[in-house]
Amino acid sequence: MRQSLMHKNNCLPFQSHLRFHASSFLLDTNFSIFAFLHKQSPGTYQPFSLLRLHQSNNSKVIRAGAPAEPELGTGYFSDNDEDSVLETCITRTLPPAVTLEHGLEKIKEEVDKLKLDPPCSDSGILRIQIAVPPSAKSLNWFSCQPLSSGVFPQFFMSKETLSYMCEPPSLDRLRGVFGIGSAVSFIRSPSFTSGNWSSLRRFLSVVSPLITAYGFTNITFDSESLSMRHQNGSLYLFIPQIELDEYDCISILAATLAWGDSSDYSFQGAVNSFELSFYQACHHFRPAADNSNNQYKLRKFGLVDDVVSQMIYLNALSLDGNDIGFDPLLMKEVASPCQFCVRFSPAIGFSSNMLDHSREMTFSVQNCANINSLWASLIIEEFVRLGLTYFCIAPGSRSTPLSIAASTHSLTTCIACYDERSLAFHAVGYGRGSHKPAIVITSSGTAVSNLLPAVVEASQDFVPLLLLTADRPPELQDSGANQSINQVNHFGYFVRYFFSLPVPTDDISARMVVTTIDSAVFSATSTPRGPAHINCPFREPLENRPWKWNLSCLKGLENWMSSGEPFTKYIWSQHFHELNATRGIILEVIEIIQGARKGVLLIGAMHTEDELWAALLLAKHLMWPIVADILSGLRLRKILCFFPEVEDKFIFIDHFDHALLSAAVRIWAQSDVIIQLGSRITSKRVAQTLEEFIPRSFIMVGEHSSRHDPSHIITHRIQSTITQFADYLLKARFPYVSSHWCQFLQALDMMVAREISFQIDSEYSLTEPHVANIVSQSVSCESALFVGNSMAIRNADMYGRGSVKCTHNHNISSLVLSSGVPYHGIQVAGNRGASGIDGLLSTAIGFAVGCNKRVICLMGDVSFLHDTNGLALLNQRVQRKPMTILVTNNHGGAIFSFLPIAEATDRRVLSKYFYTSHEVSIRNLCVAHGVKHMQVRTKVELEDALYISQGEENDCLIEVESCIDFNLAFHSKLRKFASQAADQSLNLLSSISVSNSGFYLCKIQRMTYSLYRVQLCSPPTSASYNHDSTEFYREGFILTLFLEDGSFGFGEAAPLEIHKETLPGVEEQLRFLLHVIEGTYISCLVPSLKGSFSSWIWNGLGIKPSSIFPSVRCGLEMAILNAVAARQGSTLVDVLDSQANREEEIARHLSTVQICALLDSNGTPMEVAHLAATLVEEGFTAIKLKVARRLNPMEDVSVIQEVRKKVGSKIELRADANRKWSYSEAIHFGLCVRDCHLQYIEEPVKDESDIIKFCKETGLPVALDETIDNIQECPLKLLSKFSNPGIVAIVIKPSVVGGLEKAALIARWAQQNGKMAIVSAAFESGFSLSTYVQFALYLDRQNKETCRVMNKEVGSIVAHGLGTYRWLKEDVATEPFRTQRNTYSGFIEVSIEDSDYMLKRSELNRNTILRNFSGEKIHNYWFPMDFEDFSCSLKVKEIGVSNKSNVTVFLHGFLGSSEDWIPIMKAISGSTRCISVDLPGHGESKIQNHPQKKASLSIEVVAKILY
């Protein structure tokens, strides 16, 4: 069997044979491509070979000429042109830009460099691309283009569906593609029949797979007259000159230049065309802060709906290998629900699903029956013109004019609720999600007062909010009138703006009304953002009853009424003198940062994608440790491309809070400079540590000027956006300091993270930390998270984590990788302004509306009950995607159990007045409001419920049952083990001397392996054998790993025949490892066995850990750990146990391992009993008998009964059925041996699902063996279902489960769940047995330490399953495996000293070695070839057996070489002849030029050469 061993450099399995890499070849019968490029300098591009194109007789390629002129340029390939040669086809990716504007500037700089040093090729296509912030800007950019534009075409194409879009598209929420100008166009006429797309393929090269052509079917466009007409069967396509392509994770800004060898199609012409497109694009772009309504912006173009034409887009992937012809199924069509709009000229443009023609764009007074109605309509209309269309309406009489005007306006979206408090919090949530204020309309009186909690939250956390409160007229104030209170300045300093309008009258100019709205909106949306309050008194009539009013009050509004623009436009500007005034302070900050030696980047709440992007770029630039708060969005980041070399640029410290539980860590982790981006930090422990150990400089950056400094430690307060600050610092250079402190901190965090993960995963019960953990992983890039206060946000902050998420588009993954920003932040929100528990559900629902994403909301039961009126809002699915609401129901306020009050207060008082314990049925509340409800009590049920809810089209509430006392106990356990892990990690790290080469123990010089064959005394009990055979053998490989100082260690890879490994397959993997491991540094964390080996295998060797055979992984770990022990002059157990030298008592009492004898129960009961008695006389205290080998279980019963009678009650007896019995047979056996006092029966039933049932029915203790052998990934998840106390032991074979690290993980789970962890051998040699002895001692010491932390008594000493040594008739080692009989107890055991002596002093027994392997050399030679009109010399690498019938040829990718395949070739060279070639134009291969011949190289030529 051959296992796919995945390597990060090529990610191809062992069995990969002849492969044509997608980026090297483009197959087509009509033309051939073989273009490889070499970049000589940043501004010079040198073609390496040729691309030959055959032209179609019915197609032409047109480049857009000078767009400022009245017509497009008409340089194109005519029907009679001969074959053209495209020599340059390059995609140049620039470093990411902090803003879109900066991206434009960088592209312009790159083009300017090209102008000074143009390409030497006569024709080509060049794409310059740069990653920019992922927030939606494309529609806004399109709508900002002027009516009198001279650059066409212009288009916007949406990437989203209309499923949840119940109103016209929003400029700052809809992702898509914006394009302007045309680098090249393609026209197909109806008479086109050949299907030859080579002209288009020329530009859509796989070398630049992101280049996309957009266009329309059934359209004929005349470039000279700028006219367009419909014609069935026609096609018009173009590649944009400038393009913004938006994805969920990243946005790509690109410019494309195409040129040919004709004067009309020159490189200079392409540059001129680009500059005109660039000028218009960058001079007609306004930021999203411009809130003008998008419908007005789009309507100015005079676009019309077109149902005949369909927009399409094509790229290299859609053309690759396909001849589209007229087959519409092969075209990537923009489906009918999608939206697009395009302009071909100032007068020609059309759209699809972008405009609502039923909605009037101008204001009319015809429906205003009275002055109240007029003023209310003016107010609503001006809000709409400012882009604010979301209204939250509370029922009331006095607010009737406002409610009617809002609900009847054609462009508004309205939601209603009978509870003003819930309604106001809903508006706050909308503001959080959309970054635009919602407008709340209420009646007078206490309805206004109910808004106060939400106003406070919005004010404290800078959320924009607008309040329209109806009021009684002045004559009814202070007169006892109904529902009349003083509403003037009702919210005091919590609002940014207050204005009380006069009672509507035509004596006052209506201009005052609209300018008041403009002023209020500006105040609410300007820094510092917050609530604005407009009080609106009305006299009767409140309804829309006719009441004469004078039109003269509208004087000055004529232009306003005929347009769609707001009356007053507030313009944000940042003056140069302000920048200059802060320059000195910024320079001071830069100097502080440059001088930092222990800097930390603390990231608080982030609100926009642009802020997240800027923070990531700054983090990459500084390379400081990053402590990200849960509300930053980076705490739950998703990994877009999984490459260590990219991830190493970011040092995330996700569990700093729990690391600080260690007093030693708090002292050690002091930083000298801290930069905090964003506001509040959730972790109290982090804040307390900063206050205890005040840094030399604390720099806080925030857009507002409020003092967020509760510890009073901030030394520099910078009022700036995150983006502006990042831009300043990105321009500065900071000396790279190889900070061992940073590496230490990262390593320590990793160890604490693994400990937390282990504790959460190993707990069988559903815990609140697990809820936070699994919910955070359930949030995708396309969704968002809202967290409630109290324990919900604390659990999310402490235990939330991101998960790997790969983009579906390989090209985008490549771009993400090249941009160096491999993470995507998740939008996370919470009410942390005042941190109350009121209104959380309503806020979450509003947040879902505002962000237009699927939202998962996590909150506690008391918070939920505090806002059950929010359920009324949940039913109003207005402009919102489905929500999943998780309520952790522990029947009270659990947070008080963590406070000192809990220990000092009577439980009855605590329960009633603090916990506010309750038995309210959340299910019944959901039923009453028609909300789907699911209740979960287990981890599996929670995962299932989350999965179901994410696929639902309706809202869903998941109620998670919890318990305050259990929650408190589990949190306490987590803190204890996290603190212990932090202490142990710090001790381990402090004992290591870190060299300049990095955080490593030592360097591996080389590795060899030897195939051995040893004779056994009898057949292994796990194998089938020929009963006539008298000789039995065991085969495997001994690994010898050498370190640079000469130290070495042995490992063993010896697969059992009953498992899914074979010797040839194992040897293939060993050959591969032999090559990649040479010269590798061993991480200092490897001996901790807590995920560190897996991490090192991926990061150090570039191999996916799960792709390594279990026996190979075990042998590799053995060899490395034994070599490290030899280098340090210590025992293996001391290498594994970092506390060994400090825990003398443990070391003194745990220095030997007892062994359980193994007995095959063939023979009569008396014979087996006699053998067992002999073993007892030798000193064995535990015996395992193999059962289920006989036809009748009762025969095994007789054997067990006789053995028990013979050896007495003090000897531990174990039975091993190896899963051979049916359930009924096992039950029959079990019931009969109840009185035999078995320590356990191992794997009694065939079916894994019957194990627990067997325990319950028989009452017999059970051990697992084969069940865990099948575990490959996530062992804790599988083991969790076996936490039943009837399972008393876990038998662990390291070579079968996949190494010592996984064995240690399984053992630790067993020990924490009160089960025995028994190390068992699989009939390996003395090298493995000695290693297992040391490993077993380590596990026993670990168990004692675990019991100490958990305040549990240590159980009796466990005898481990190493009795297979008695099967060895000879051994691979020259020294025998030594056992001894304890002089005091008389028991058989193995000491540390004896096992260590064998590992260090023994040599290989050459009599048992069949062959050795230390590597194989590659044979290099030149292969000259002259084929037709093409000649070259190919550099060839060859290795392996000389076998003409079994040859594997490896072809490298674009800009690669034959060197890329060497590890794979060496791995499989034992079974095949391997050949790799430097393709022409690559590596050392040479192309020979013939002056009289025109070279023509194609994929067909290469195929014939290789054949």
Side-chain angles (χ1 to χ4, degrees), residues 904-924:
T905 306
D906 180 80
R907 180 58 187 251
R908 182 184 61 82
V909 174
L910 197 66
S911 178
K912 184 174 182 179
Y913 297 105
F914 292 90
Y915 294 167
T916 56
S917 301
H918 67 88
E919 293 299 330
V920 178
S921 172
I922 293 177
R923 177 184 178 278
N924 289 343

Side-chain angles (χ1 to χ4, degrees), residues 621-847:
H621 189 59
L622 293 176
M623 290 188 68
W624 283 9
I626 307 160
V627 178
D629 187 79
I630 183 64
L631 295 179
S632 70
L634 294 177
R635 183 69 172 78
L636 307 183
R637 64 199 173 276
K638 303 302 177 183
I639 305 175
L640 300 173
C641 58
F642 200 72
F643 284 90
E645 53 266 34
V646 178
E647 294 179 72
D648 287 346
K649 302 292 184 182
F650 298 87
I651 308 172
F652 281 100
I653 310 299
D654 289 335
H655 296 283
F656 198 45
D657 176 278
H658 272 40
L660 294 175
L661 286 164
S662 163
V665 170
R666 287 198 301 274
I667 296 171
W668 172 83
Q670 296 180 55
S671 55
D672 56 357
V673 178
I674 289 180
I675 300 175
Q676 179 176 334
L677 306 179
S679 52
R680 298 174 178 85
I681 299 298
T682 302
S683 171
K684 184 178 181 180
R685 201 154 19 243
V686 171
Q688 288 175 335
T689 302
L690 292 176
E691 187 172 351
E692 182 180 1
F693 303 102
I694 299 174
R696 176 170 54 84
S697 298
F698 194 116
I699 304 162
M700 182 174 180
V701 182
E703 192 173 0
H704 60 83
S705 59
S706 300
R707 182 175 71 165
H708 280 186
D709 184 19
S711 299
H712 311 292
I713 58 176
I714 292 176
T715 60
H716 296 77
R717 178 66 170 86
I718 299 175
Q719 186 179 356
S720 162
T721 66
I722 307 300
T723 300
Q724 289 170 340
F725 179 74
D727 182 40
Y728 272 120
L729 265 60
L730 289 172
K731 294 174 183 176
R733 292 191 176 185
F734 300 100
Y736 174 72
V737 179
S738 180
S739 173
H740 299 323
W741 182 77
C742 291
Q743 296 177 43
F744 270 46
L745 194 58
Q746 188 176 28
L748 187 146
D749 178 74
M750 181 171 62
M751 301 299 286
V752 173
R754 287 172 179 162
E755 181 64 32
I756 291 173
S757 179
F758 171 81
Q759 295 298 334
I760 292 175
D761 292 343
S762 63
E763 175 58 49
Y764 175 72
S765 302
L766 178 57
T767 64
E768 292 185 24
H770 176 78
V771 173
N773 187 278
I774 199 71
V775 167
S776 65
Q777 295 182 70
S778 300
V779 183
S780 67
C781 289
E782 296 79 26
S783 57
L785 176 68
F786 185 91
V787 284
N789 286 319
S790 193
M791 285 305 298
I793 193 168
R794 289 169 173 81
N795 281 330
D797 188 57
M798 290 186 292
Y799 308 118
R801 66 179 179 185
S803 58
V804 175
K805 185 264 182 185
C806 297
T807 55
H808 299 293
N809 189 324
H810 171 71
N811 300 315
I812 300 306
S813 297
S814 300
L815 186 66
V816 169
L817 179 61
S818 61
S819 73
V821 184
Y823 299 106
H824 177 58
I826 298 298
Q827 192 171 1
V828 182
N831 280 355
R832 298 301 287 173
S835 299
I837 64 168
D838 46 349
L840 292 175
L841 177 59
S842 299
T843 307
I845 299 167
F847 174 68

